[in-house]
């Protein structure tokens, strides 16, 4: 506990906006600053001083500004100085703060009763929500005396513990001390319904008089109070680390949204200037691609400071307003918490500036990074890395592979700014992106790469336990949906609707679904739910391999359009892959879609219904005797299965559906899984093939987009099927369709 101060300076502020408990919540400028010196030892009062700050009129013309100044000069003494002993005017906030400090210093020196001085205010708002935020927004240095003050309400509560701190004000404290107070009715909290009302001119001086009398009453018997518990305002934000094991109170965390993408933790601390942020308590959030998403989680030292931060909702950072909401301690730990000792050692150095490097060659070494930041031929400034090799932290995957990211420490802001000027310079054959970073971002990036994937994927298939099964169910439903493949990555819902043209009117409500990959980006695939099978087939025949253009980019691509069933669409949207090659399905996912196979099912004893033969033996013998029985011996297809039973755990391959008008489904159960998908496929005969290009590869390419396992394609020569010419049909287990490999239309007949 510190000793009693020699002087208390009772301070009261008024803005051009709200007053009372909403003071400073509307970002209005400081208009009046009133103060009175109280000699604690001798229990004497000094003069009442009032300083009027002229409003900022930078948006006015010179002529109007001159008129406004004349009016202000004439009205200052008449309106604002009538009840104060001394009246001053200042042209702006910086001049006002300097003038306040100068007048206060002169008055203390002339009194000669001591040197220690501390401000005293009614609550926290005058210092934390008025002086410091406006000074920070205008890049004004605040005198040292404004970084500590005494909250008169908290000092009063020590002697009246039953009082509600939030309900206290000067009027209530004066009544509790049985002090007569001449307060205008419009300022009495009990009779002032609107706290947004502008403070009357005569109230500010009266408030200072009353506060000085309350201080004198607390100094006298029977209280004999010692004013020693000073509130502190943090002068700068302290960076630091946070462990995932640390307990963070839910009542101390907020979420700030709408930040400029280039903002840093220091910018966040400047926005909340006047409030004390915990060490390392500003954590910028990253999106799925590792880039800042304009949000941050901020942890304050107490609930009181968190509540004051919430009053800055929609205050401005530059030209952008910032939304402020409550958050939880768990949210903060997910972003800023870490467990790596390597990261803790890297961030243990205080007063270090962190720069993030992105796009490094995978073979980059510490020496190459040091050389990159060393003084070049054309550079006059140096930007040495702090700590040499120990000041560089490479980001790696759990298996040790480099990610192309690294963090570098610099000893001071000057060196960091010099380093940032190397943005997009080359290291080897790659240009390097440089960004100013934070300790929380280091933790966040390391957590993302060193732990589980950003988007959970299916576990490794239990090939040894479960029987081999096809990813695709047999075609049981109507093909009343369309699959669009090869979309431009910048394509939007509007681009798709424009591409469909007249078929747009046949789309079902909520019927446009864009498939995202594991990174949350468009995969180039899209599913459309149509109103009928006929319209889906007509759309696929007319639009297949037509060119789609994107309004958001100059690129245009031809798009493949296939009809498909609701079950097939549901399989992909639930995490599967409409791949036409199933030979190695359980070992790798198809690279073309970026989607993994559907998850293996548990328990391992999941029953599979026996699959019926593709073609009855009698039918095969009748069609192709006798060699047909040899080539077309009924071979069971891999069994169909209810791939998402109620007891199975689902692993989504992407975080959200792409929004479609008026909205895509938001639950995984939107597409019901059938209890059994056991309807057999069919054989298709393809007459009219070219003589020299009908190979298995050509045929697979011709029917891609349909579930046709590679082993189900059988090429029959003319001698085998009793024909004298080539160009006859292979037999494919596939629904009937029309296509044209090699530029020639084929008649596909379902057998």
């Amino acid at each position: 506990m510190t000793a009693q101060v020699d002087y208390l300076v009772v301070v009261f502020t008024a803005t051009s906006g709200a007053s009372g408990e909403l003071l400073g919540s509307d970002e209005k400028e400081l208009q009046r600053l009133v103060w009175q010196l109280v000699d604690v030892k001798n229990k004497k009062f000094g003069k009442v001083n009032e300083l009027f700050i002229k409003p900022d009129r930078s948006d006015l013309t010179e002529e109007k500004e001159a008129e406004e100044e004349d009016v202000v000069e004439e009205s200052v003494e008449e309106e604002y100085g009538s009840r104060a002993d001394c009246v001053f005017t200042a042209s702006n906030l910086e001049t006002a703060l300097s003038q306040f400090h100068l007048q206060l210093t002169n008055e203390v020196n002339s009194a000669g009763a001591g040197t220690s001085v501390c401000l005293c205010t009614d609550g926290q708002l005058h210092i934390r929500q008025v002086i410091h935020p406006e000074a920070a927004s205008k890049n004004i240095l605040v005198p040292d005396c404004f970084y500590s003050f005494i909250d008169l309400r908290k000092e009063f509560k020590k002697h009246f513990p039953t009082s509600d701190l939030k309900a206290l004000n000067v009027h209530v404290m004066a009544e509790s001390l049985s002090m007569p107070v001449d307060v205008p009715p419009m300022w009495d909290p009990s009779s002032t319904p609107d706290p947004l009302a502008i403070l009357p001119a005569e109230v500010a001086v009266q408030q200072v008089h009353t506060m000085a009398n309350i201080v004198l009453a607390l100094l006298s018997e029977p209280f004999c109070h010692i004013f020693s518990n000073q509130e502190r305002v943090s002068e700068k934000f302290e960076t630091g680390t946070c462990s995932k094991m640390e307990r963070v109170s839910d009542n101390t965390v907020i979420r700030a949204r709408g930040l400029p993408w280039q903002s840093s933790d220091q910018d966040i601390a400047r926005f909340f200037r006047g409030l004390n942020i915990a060490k390392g308590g500003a954590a910028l959030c990253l999106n799925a691609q590792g880039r800042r998403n304009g949000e941050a989680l901020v942890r304050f030292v107490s609930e009181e400071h968190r509540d004051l931060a919430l009053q800055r909702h929609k205050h401005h950072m530059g030209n952008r307003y910032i939304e402020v909401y409550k958050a939880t301690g768990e949210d903060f730990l997910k972003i800023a918490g870490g467990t790596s000792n390597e990261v803790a050692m890297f961030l243990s150095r205080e007063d270090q500036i962190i720069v993030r490097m992105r796009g490094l060659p995978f073979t980059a070494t510490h020496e190459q990074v040091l050389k990159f930041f060393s003084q070049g031929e054309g550079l006059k400034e140096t930007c040495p890395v702090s700590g040499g090799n120990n000041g560089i932290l490479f980001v790696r995957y759990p298996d040790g592979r480099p990610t192309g990211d690294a963090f570098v420490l610099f000893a001071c802001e000057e060196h960091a700014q010099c380093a940032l000027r190397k943005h997009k310079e080359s290291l080897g054959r790659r240009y390097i992106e440089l960004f100013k970073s934070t300790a929380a971002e280091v933790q966040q990036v390391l957590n993302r790469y060193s732990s589980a994937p950003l988007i959970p994927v299916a576990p490794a298939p239990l090939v040894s336990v479960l029987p081999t099964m096809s990813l695709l169910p047999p075609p049981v439903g109507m093909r009343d949906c369309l699959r669009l493949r090869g979309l431009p990555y910048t394509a939007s819902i509007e681009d798709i609707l424009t591409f469909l043209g007249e078929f747009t009117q046949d789309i079902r409500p909520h019927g446009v679904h864009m498939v995202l990959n594991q990174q949350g980006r468009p995969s180039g695939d899209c599913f459309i739910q149509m109103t009928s099978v006929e319209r889906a087939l007509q759309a696929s025949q007319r639009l297949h391999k037509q060119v789609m253009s994107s309004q958001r980019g100059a690129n245009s691509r031809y798009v493949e359009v296939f009809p498909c069933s609701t079950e097939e669409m549901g399989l992909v949207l639930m995490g599967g892959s409409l791949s036409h090659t199933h030979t190695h399905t359980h070992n790798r996912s198809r690279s073309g879609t970026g989607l993994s196979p559907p998850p293996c099912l548990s328990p391992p004893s999941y029953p599979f219904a026996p699959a019926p033969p593709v073609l009855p033996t009698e039918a095969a013998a009748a069609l192709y005797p006798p060699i047909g029985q040899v080539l077309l011996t009924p071979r069971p297809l891999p069994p169909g299965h209810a791939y998402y039973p109620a007891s199975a755990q689902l692993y989504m391959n992407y975080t959200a559906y792409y929004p479609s008008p008026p909205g895509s489904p938001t639950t995984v159960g939107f597409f019901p899984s059938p209890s059994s998908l056991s309807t057999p496929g069919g054989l298709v005969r393809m007459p009219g093939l070219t003589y020299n290009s009908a190979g298995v590869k050509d045929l697979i390419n011709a029917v891609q987009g349909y579930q046709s396992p590679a082993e189900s394609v059988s090429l029959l020569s003319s001698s085998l099927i009793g024909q004298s010419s080539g160009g006859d049909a292979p037999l494919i287990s596939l629904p009937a369709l029309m296509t044209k490999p090699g530029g020639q239309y084929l008649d596909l007949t379902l057998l």
Side-chain angles (χ1 to χ4, degrees), residues 352-653:
Q352 301 288 332
I353 309 299
I354 306 174
V355 172
R356 180 180 179 182
M357 305 180 71
R358 192 164 62 197
L360 287 169
F362 294 144
T363 57
T365 63
H366 289 82
E367 289 73 20
Q368 289 175 323
V369 173
L370 291 174
K371 186 177 179 181
F372 178 80
F373 288 111
S374 63
Q375 183 175 0
E377 296 179 359
L379 289 178
K380 297 182 180 179
E381 301 175 294
T382 59
C383 45
V385 176
S386 177
N389 289 352
N390 294 330
I392 303 172
L393 177 65
F394 287 102
V395 182
R396 302 183 184 276
Y397 289 107
D399 57 4
R401 292 181 296 115
T403 63
D405 281 26
F407 293 94
V408 184
L409 292 177
F410 293 93
C412 62
E413 186 70 29
E414 182 182 357
H415 290 171
Q417 291 300 326
C418 176
L420 291 173
R421 283 193 281 272
K422 288 179 170 285
H423 180 59
K424 290 197 174 181
E425 290 190 11
S426 295
L427 175 60
R429 296 184 177 180
R430 304 193 62 174
Y431 73 85
I432 308 301
E433 296 178 289
L434 300 175
F435 307 94
K436 199 171 180 181
S437 187
T438 66
E441 185 174 357
V442 176
Q443 294 278 25
Q444 201 173 164
V445 172
L446 267 293
N447 290 342
R448 286 173 177 267
Y449 283 115
S450 63
S451 58
L454 294 180
I455 305 172
V457 295
L462 304 176
V463 179
S464 59
V465 178
L466 293 176
T468 302
M469 53 186 174
S470 170
L471 285 180
L472 289 175
V476 298
M478 298 184 299
R479 292 185 171 274
D480 58 350
C481 300
L482 291 176
R483 180 190 182 191
L484 277 61
R485 187 171 62 190
L487 300 173
Y489 291 113
T490 57
S492 62
I493 298 295
E494 291 74 15
D495 297 326
I496 295 173
L497 297 180
T498 302
F499 175 77
L500 292 176
E502 63 179 276
F503 298 101
T504 303
Q505 60 186 357
D506 300 304
I507 300 176
R508 294 182 182 179
H510 306 266
V512 181
H513 312 284
M514 296 186 73
V515 183
L516 307 182
N517 60 17
Q518 294 183 13
Q519 288 74 40
R521 299 176 179 173
S523 65
D525 281 23
C526 177
F527 287 92
I528 312 291
Q529 290 178 284
M530 306 294 285
T531 55
S532 65
V533 177
E534 292 76 14
R535 296 296 287 173
L537 181 60
Q538 292 175 17
S540 65
Q541 292 174 346
R542 188 176 305 178
L543 300 175
H544 182 60
K545 292 196 174 180
Q546 297 297 315
V547 175
M548 176 188 291
S549 299
S550 172
Q551 298 177 0
R552 293 185 293 179
N555 59 326
S556 59
R557 301 180 61 180
Y558 77 84
V559 177
E560 298 172 293
V561 183
F562 309 106
C564 66
S565 66
T566 304
E567 290 77 16
E568 293 167 345
M569 177 180 66
L571 174 62
V572 174
L573 293 181
M574 296 288 284
S577 173
L578 280 181
S579 174
H580 58 273
T581 306
H582 298 299
T583 306
H584 304 288
T585 306
H586 291 289
N587 297 328
R588 60 179 175 83
S589 62
R590 182 174 177 227
S591 60
T593 62
L595 295 177
S596 302
C600 292
L601 304 177
S602 58
S605 59
Y606 185 79
F608 293 93
V614 174
L615 189 66
T617 305
E618 297 79 3
L623 286 173
Y624 300 99
I627 192 66
Q629 292 182 347
V630 179
L631 294 178
L632 298 176
T633 301
R635 174 180 55 82
L637 285 178
H641 55 89
Y643 38 88
Y644 289 105
S647 61
Q649 182 180 3
L650 300 182
Y651 294 84
M652 298 302 294
N653 279 340

Side-chain angles (χ1 to χ4, degrees), residues 93-347:
L93 178 64
E94 184 175 14
T95 305
L97 295 180
S98 300
Q99 193 169 350
F100 168 83
H101 186 257
L102 179 62
Q103 294 293 335
L104 180 61
T105 303
N106 292 336
E107 190 172 359
V108 170
N109 291 337
S110 62
T115 57
S116 60
V117 181
C118 185
L119 304 185
C120 180
T121 62
D122 175 27
Q124 306 274 317
L125 303 181
H126 300 275
I127 302 296
R128 298 192 185 275
Q129 296 288 72
V130 177
I131 300 290
H132 283 283
E134 185 177 345
S137 65
K138 297 179 178 179
N139 294 321
I140 297 174
L141 292 177
V142 177
D144 294 340
C145 60
F146 287 100
Y147 284 97
S148 62
F149 66 97
I150 288 176
D151 187 347
L152 186 58
R153 297 184 183 184
K154 292 183 179 180
E155 301 298 317
F156 178 84
K157 187 174 174 60
K158 293 179 181 179
H159 300 282
F160 297 87
T162 58
S163 304
D164 184 4
L165 193 63
K166 294 183 178 180
L168 282 179
N169 56 48
V170 172
H171 183 78
V172 173
M173 289 187 286
E175 284 188 345
S176 300
L177 293 171
S178 302
M179 294 173 51
V181 181
D182 181 19
V183 179
M186 63 181 66
W187 176 244
D188 187 347
S190 60
S191 61
T192 306
D194 185 11
L196 295 176
I198 298 177
L199 184 71
E202 65 273 13
V203 171
V205 175
Q206 182 60 45
Q207 285 284 296
V208 170
H209 275 303
T210 306
M211 291 170 60
N213 289 326
I214 293 174
V215 169
L216 193 60
L218 293 178
L219 289 172
S220 305
E221 295 183 356
F223 304 109
C224 299
H225 184 73
I226 298 177
F227 291 91
S228 58
N229 187 20
Q230 299 183 14
E231 298 281 330
R232 300 290 179 180
V233 179
S234 299
E235 295 190 33
K236 70 177 202 175
F237 170 69
E238 295 184 56
T239 60
T241 59
C242 178
S243 171
K244 283 187 177 294
M245 305 304 295
E246 187 174 344
R247 296 185 62 181
V248 179
S249 172
D250 293 343
N251 297 326
T252 61
V253 182
I254 61 94
R255 180 184 297 272
R257 182 178 299 166
L259 299 168
W261 67 268
Q262 72 273 23
S263 58
S264 65
D265 53 354
Q266 297 294 339
D267 296 320
I268 296 171
R270 187 178 299 110
F271 176 79
F272 289 108
R273 183 69 58 84
L275 307 179
N276 295 346
I277 300 176
K279 184 177 181 180
L284 294 164
C285 301
L286 306 180
N287 59 17
Q289 288 76 42
R291 301 177 184 271
R292 297 173 185 173
N293 63 2
E295 293 189 4
L297 290 167
V298 186
R299 177 189 178 192
F300 294 93
V301 295
S302 66
E303 182 180 359
E304 179 183 30
H305 289 245
R306 192 281 309 265
D307 292 341
L308 293 176
L310 292 173
Q311 292 187 14
R312 301 195 187 182
H313 179 60
K314 292 195 174 181
H315 282 205
H316 288 76
M317 180 185 290
N319 295 325
R320 304 188 58 157
Y321 71 83
I322 308 301
E323 301 175 8
V324 183
Y325 304 100
K326 291 182 180 180
T328 65
E330 182 181 1
D331 294 336
F332 182 80
L333 289 176
K334 286 180 181 178
I335 300 300
T339 57
S340 172
N341 292 330
E342 182 183 11
V343 178
M345 290 295 295
F346 178 77
L347 298 175

